Amino acid sequence: MKQTILVSGLALALVLPQTASANNHSSDAIGAMMGAIIGSALSQGMLAAPQQNFTGSSAPSRSSAPSRSPAEIAEVREMQEALNYFNFPAGTPDGVIGRGTRSAIAQYQSFIGYPATGELLAHERMFLVTSFNRAASEPPARIQQALANPIGLRSLLREYSQPEEPAVVDAGKNATQPTVVSSTVIVATANSPEMQELQDEVDDLSDQVALLQAVVDHQRNSVASVDPEGAEARIEAVMALMETYSARLEEVETFSNEQYSTPIRPQNQNLGATARRLSEIFPKVPFYIAGTEEIGEMWVEPEVTDQGYLVFGFNFIDPMAEYDQIRETISFTANEVEIVSASLTKVDEWTDVAQENGVRRNFERLVNCIPDGACENLQEGVSSSAVVFQIYEDGSTAAKIQRNRGLFVSSYNFSVESGLMLSAYLDYMREVGMREFTTGTMTEDDLDSLFE
């Protein structure tokens, strides 16, 4: 099953810092964020390695040059041609999805009423291409009429998105002819490529919704008794995201029922998966680079080193890059992941303090440093990682994960809501990773003791 990457599947508002004028825990605000996202994980480790401190070591980027088939390139070109036709400028149809194409996709999605992610879901692409092919068969007079419309050829998209009135059938003369309910209905078998693509999309979304629910349940059942206020804030952030993904899942199911003769339902809501697989399912968390227009997404990958230690690689990704998308990886031990999680929740607490006191000035405060004390005075040859709380002049706040490689500093900023969601997921995956790592390192005697 292919994995649909939803850039951060999170909203643009989740990428940007939180404003003081908005309630930090407003699910409405978070829901609104989800509509403007551009584009789509971790595991919890356990058993600390024999007191080896990785100090958030930075791993070199791994090249991920994709190999695309001619069919895939042709598919992208057709999509670009369709976008250009309906006046969503995607540039030259070259089969490469770059920034211009993603901008055009977001414009198309916004026009139709889909979340403007810049990443086409299967049913969104199908409607675009089907409409493009249908417009090509329209008589010239119909095209001239559309061009005279204030919104031009986009008026055809709006027309095609509306179901047609049922045709009036004379039962005496045409008793065997079916009534046409919508001219956009596509008859497809369950095994057709179109149906399979929609099925994959439904499966991906249902997996993400189920995993988000598991994260919420973990906060309620395992964390709330220890940190009730922090758990409440994290649950609220994850629930807002889950509602958005549930709405998208319902949208795809509705589309398939309207367009195809075969309904589509989730087929693989089974989270009995490895920690590595769960890290791929969880929606990517958006970040931004302060002082620039660069944004990206992050996911956390659990892995066991050659020395046998469980670590979590925080992968910072540039989804717009055509080849090497991972711009940096910071590795943390299980104990360090726990520190990062607690630090992100502390940013939320300090945000409330800043808003209650009306703080509107540039301010930074270190929340935690890994290893402790290594972030105050940077030195060549010494590496460290930090979580930093930030306030801007407009009163907005953000969390920052900072990597210090000697005197060179790289920073990745997150909205407070993104930080809470990431914190909740770290808590959940830390437990999952610990359980998996423990089982994988058990001796025969350890296993025997389980079955006394």
Side-chain angles (χ1 to χ4, degrees):
M1 179 192 72
K2 67 182 180 180
Q3 175 70 17
T4 300
I5 299 179
L6 304 174
V7 177
S8 213
L10 302 175
L12 182 59
L14 284 179
V15 182
L16 299 177
Q18 175 181 332
T19 60
S21 60
N23 188 314
N24 183 37
H25 307 303
S26 169
S27 60
D28 291 339
I30 301 176
M33 308 170 192
M34 300 304 304
I37 187 175
I38 70 159
S40 34
L42 312 102
S43 160
Q44 171 193 79
M46 136 161 191
L47 296 184
Q51 295 310 314
Q52 174 170 343
N53 191 335
F54 286 84
T55 67
S57 61
S58 179
S61 298
R62 290 168 292 178
S63 179
S64 56
S67 176
R68 298 188 302 156
S69 68
E72 291 173 324
I73 295 174
E75 184 177 278
V76 173
R77 283 176 177 165
E78 182 181 38
M79 178 263 291
Q80 291 171 323
E81 290 173 357
L83 288 168
N84 287 333
Y85 181 84
F86 292 114
N87 197 28
F88 302 109
T92 302
D94 55 8
V96 177
I97 300 180
R99 296 180 187 274
T101 299
R102 292 191 187 280
S103 175
I105 290 173
Q107 293 177 48
Y108 156 71
Q109 290 172 317
S110 178
F111 178 79
I112 295 299
Y114 299 138
T117 65
E119 287 277 350
L120 280 180
L121 294 181
H123 71 287
E124 297 169 349
R125 182 183 57 76
M126 286 181 191
F127 175 70
L128 172 65
V129 173
T130 299
S131 298
F132 175 52
N133 293 330
R134 180 179 173 185
S137 65
E138 294 279 10
R142 181 70 188 88
I143 299 302
Q144 289 299 322
Q145 181 184 7
L147 288 171
N149 190 290
I151 59 174
L153 293 175
R154 293 186 184 184
S155 62
L156 295 176
L157 276 180
R158 185 153 292 169
E159 175 186 324
Y160 297 160
S161 66
Q162 302 299 321
E164 295 181 353
E165 293 295 328
V168 178
V169 178
D170 185 333
K173 297 181 179 180
N174 303 291
T176 61
Q177 292 185 4
T179 298
V180 178
V181 177
S182 172
S183 62
T184 59
V185 170
I186 304 171
V187 178
T189 65
N191 296 324
S192 70
E194 295 84 2
M195 288 297 291
Q196 187 57 56
E197 191 168 4
L198 282 177
Q199 184 65 66
D200 289 344
E201 188 173 303
V202 168
D203 290 344
D204 287 339
L205 288 170
S206 63
D207 277 349
Q208 289 169 328
V209 170
L211 181 53
L212 289 169
Q213 182 61 61
V215 172
V216 169
D217 292 342
H218 179 260
Q219 288 291 313
R220 288 172 174 165
N221 300 331
S222 303
V223 181
S225 60
V226 179
D227 180 18
E229 292 186 3
E232 180 181 357
R234 290 188 288 268
I235 288 172
E236 189 170 348
V238 177
M239 286 292 293
L241 180 61
M242 185 167 64
E243 289 172 4
T244 299
Y245 275 74
S246 296
R248 299 194 76 180
L249 177 59
E250 182 178 353
E251 176 186 305
V252 177
E253 291 177 340
T254 300
F255 175 85
S256 67
N257 289 336
E258 291 177 348
Q259 303 296 313
Y260 293 91
S261 58
T262 305
I264 294 179
R265 293 291 182 271
Q267 294 182 342
N268 59 343
Q269 290 178 295
N270 179 13
L271 289 182
T274 63
R276 175 65 168 75
R277 173 61 181 141
L278 292 177
S279 74
E280 292 179 336
I281 293 174
F282 193 79
K284 307 301 181 286
V285 181
F287 67 83
Y288 65 98
I289 307 297
T292 75
E293 296 183 355
E294 293 185 43
I295 58 179
E297 55 190 4
M298 183 207 114
W299 70 296
V300 180
E301 177 184 14
E303 61 179 346
V304 178
T305 68
D306 289 342
Q307 293 74 36
Y309 304 135
L310 176 63
V311 297
F312 302 87
F314 284 49
N315 298 308
F316 296 91
I317 302 169
D318 178 2
M320 301 298 185
E322 184 178 353
Y323 297 108
D324 190 3
Q325 292 190 328
I326 299 180
R327 59 190 300 160
E328 184 171 14
T329 297
I330 305 174
S331 293
F332 293 103
T333 65
N335 288 342
E336 291 167 350
V337 165
E338 188 174 15
I339 294 172
V340 173
S341 174
S343 301
L344 293 171
T345 302
K346 176 62 71 174
V347 168
D348 176 64
E349 296 174 9
W350 286 354
T351 291
D352 289 340
V353 174
Q355 293 182 354
E356 289 168 1
N357 290 274
V359 180
R360 293 178 176 273
R361 54 182 291 186
N362 288 324
F363 175 78
E364 278 193 3
R365 179 167 179 179
L366 178 68
V367 183
N368 267 306
C369 179
I370 301 172
D372 188 31
C375 299
E376 284 77 4
N377 297 304
L378 303 184
Q379 302 177 35
E380 291 184 355
V382 178
S383 62
S384 61
S385 298
V387 178
V388 179
F389 169 66
Q390 290 187 303
I391 306 177
Y392 300 100
E393 288 184 346
D394 62 357
S396 59
T397 61
K400 177 169 68 176
I401 293 181
Q402 178 173 301
R403 178 63 182 166
N404 307 313
R405 291 175 288 179
L407 301 178
F408 184 85
V409 175
S410 53
S411 301
Y412 305 93
N413 294 53
F414 300 84
S415 71
V416 176
E417 292 87 355
S418 290
L420 285 172
M421 187 183 64
L422 178 57
S423 175
Y425 188 65
L426 284 169
D427 291 343
Y428 173 73
M429 290 303 294
R430 185 172 187 278
E431 180 175 313
V432 173
M434 172 172 40
R435 184 166 59 245
E436 183 176 304
F437 183 74
T438 301
T439 303
T441 56
M442 277 184 171
T443 64
E444 289 293 327
D445 291 339
D446 293 332
L447 289 172
D448 284 340
S449 66
L450 293 177
F451 306 101
E452 294 179 352

